[in-house]
Amino acid sequence: MALTGIQIFKLLPGTNCKKCGSPTCLAFAMNLASGKAELDACPDVSEASREKLSAASAPPIRPVTIGSGATAIKVGGETVQYRHEKTFFNPTGIGGLIEDSKSAADIAATVKRWQALQYLRVGLNLRPELAIVKGGPNLAAAAKAVVDNSDLSVVLYSEDVAALKSAAEALAGKNPLIGPATAANYKEVAEVAKAAKVPVWLKAKDLDEVAVLTKGLKEAGINDIVVDTGARTPKKVFQDSVAMRRAALVGQNRDYGYGTITFPNEITDNLALQVPVAASLIAKYAGIVVLSDLDGAVVFPLLLQRLNIFTDPQRPMTQTEGIYPINDPDENSPVLVTTNFSLTYFIVSGEVEASRVPSWLLIKDSEGLSVLTAWAAGKFSGDDVGQFVLKRSGIVDKIKHKSVIIPGYAAAISGDMEEELPGWKVAIGPREAAHLTKFLKEFSVA
Amino acid sequence: MAFQVNTVKYSGKINVIPVGAQKINLGGQAAFPFYDFEGALPNKPKLALQIWDMDPGESYAAPLAAAYEGVLGDPGTWAKKAVEYGADMVCLTLKSTDPNDKNAGAAEAVAATQKVLDAVDVPVIVFGVDNKDKDVETLSAICEKFAGKNLVIGPITDKNYKQIGAQALAYGHTVIARSPIDVNLAKQLNILLMDLGIKPDKILIDPNTGGLGYGMEYCYSVMERLQAAALLQADDKLQQPIINMLGEEIWKTKEANQKVEDVPTLGDQNSRGVLMEVTEAVSLCAAGTSLLVLSHPESLKIVRYYIDLWADGGEIKGDGYLNVPITPIA
């Protein structure tokens, strides 16, 4: 539970020595409370105070890093139940299942196919990150085949502690998540994890046992924990997920302050039906969802959903300023200019594409504002847009004509633009993107 | 001590809206979606299929055209097909009346509605083209012609609520109040409609649904905030069930229309579009919808099956659902 500045102040030495960089201990306490300072900056704080403070300042849901490199993810670390309260920070990891009974060649082919599932969107690379390697005796070899043939991060899944141990050793430096730790084996799994310095996932029978196992693992020296509540029906897995989040944030119950791993692939064999399971869990709080296989038809919808749910609502998504060719345009194709709000870009580019009219779409930086707002805020003014079209964008090197289409909502800037663009025709497009097809089909460049 | 979930006390609930002459109930939630451990959720989200009043032609996504082969262009048989596919309701969209397209008149819109009502025995949504003047012309005529049928009429916005609202009130229909993804504007429009005399149980909120990957998150959060206002703060100006027109948002996206040969990483086109629709439907269920307007019958089948298990419990045992072919990637 977070302490106030005054509560923190009482735990500090009170010497006002300034060694921490703050003028007084009270000022330092205030900075600690608001997260602007680190306790380590104080050289004189007592051990007892340090323990109290670090326990109190720990996040309510412990963030755990899984994997390494480009596919490393964080599970946990969330602070709210609803994205509009602040934001969700750590997007649900998406992974596919690899059985260790498969041949190395099969595994290699599968993970190469999975690694190809990457989609660039609003400057982000959307992709599944994980391979969940499940089995026993061949676990290490299968896990090795995954990392040798892809950059996917690995979750190890075996009841056989010896197999987990050798697989964790084979993945040294790759930081796999290992498990399941259960009531029967959690002490041994903890030893393996401590030796390999990797996080552990536990599998409980129910929510009661979750607390037993998290406490047990903690006593055994494991802090980086991910929880499987054991639920394997659509209703139970969803409600357990909600219960975990509520227990951590509302109940401030440390035993439940962990991210979760869920197994849509163990809820149904049908890959299509795993999608609604995963979608309900991406919406509500899962740290990882595991599918039986990964394919664009399944993964792409979930990646879009994840992008939407985990986008920071306090910051608009933007598209990079520049030239976007649509439908193979040439030097006589029309040129459209609009703002860099990602929705504006998506909708306009979608409609232009649907029109099948080859076109150049220019995206001008408007600080992520939509057309009407950008125009009203002076981020899409005639001089500015005119300069952008003529100089900064580089479109003049690609076309032979001198005409540009502006959004209907920014019609008022056409006069100023014409002054910036002598000899150009500034055409006013429709207000709604939905009318672009008709407009483009009837439009001819000057 | 056994684990106890931290529960929330709700002080309000969503109105129950009986739609159609059949009086199918929408809404009634007294807890957040699928949180039946802390409040009653009497009605699961209902599922409608969207049909057009004309042949959509080449702009219609190929998987949809295949699903409705043979009925496109005839709203009566198309509606019947939608009901055969399991739709709770049919949403007739008056695409032909778009002034930027065919600009058909009120008489044609009335005739199309008549065909649908003659063909099916489920509640019918009649949806305009979100053009404030044209929708007044067509929807007013439809309200009058089908007096007492309790159609669901929309979209009604702050630009035309007086005209269409008055007609819906006079002839006993339910209205869809559309506002641009904003809690306060939704409330404002509800107040205007109630001031006109429309009863709170005759209004649905349309938050203006964005497509998956195309702004769904705005709608999602507005819906969560609408639910919070209705249930936690008991704001009686916001206790209307929510309708989401998501199917057409999905199927008009670039990605739903790309062929797998062109983009193997997007997978089988039919499965991809269906699962995009399913994913958005499930997201909107989690955000508190009461009525989803879908396009593809396979999406409806999956979403229906999933909502039942999600709400009632039980294991997934379904056979005969979509089989996703795995696309090789060279």
Side-chain angles (χ1 to χ4, degrees), chain A residues 248-290:
Chain A
L249 297 186
V250 182
Q252 295 179 332
N253 187 336
R254 292 282 178 198
D255 298 336
Y256 295 89
Y258 300 95
T260 59
I261 182 168
T262 60
F263 293 91
N265 67 315
E266 295 184 5
I267 292 176
T268 169
D269 293 336
N270 180 307
L271 186 55
L273 291 177
Q274 290 169 31
V275 171
V277 186
S280 73
L281 293 168
I282 289 171
K284 296 278 176 179
Y285 317 142
I288 296 173
V289 294
V290 181

Side-chain angles (χ1 to χ4, degrees), chain B residues 285-303:
Chain B
C285 282
T289 193
S290 290
L291 175 55
L292 295 172
V293 181
L294 303 164
S295 291
H296 199 294
E298 187 66 34
S299 312
L300 179 127
K301 187 174 158 189
I302 294 175
V303 173

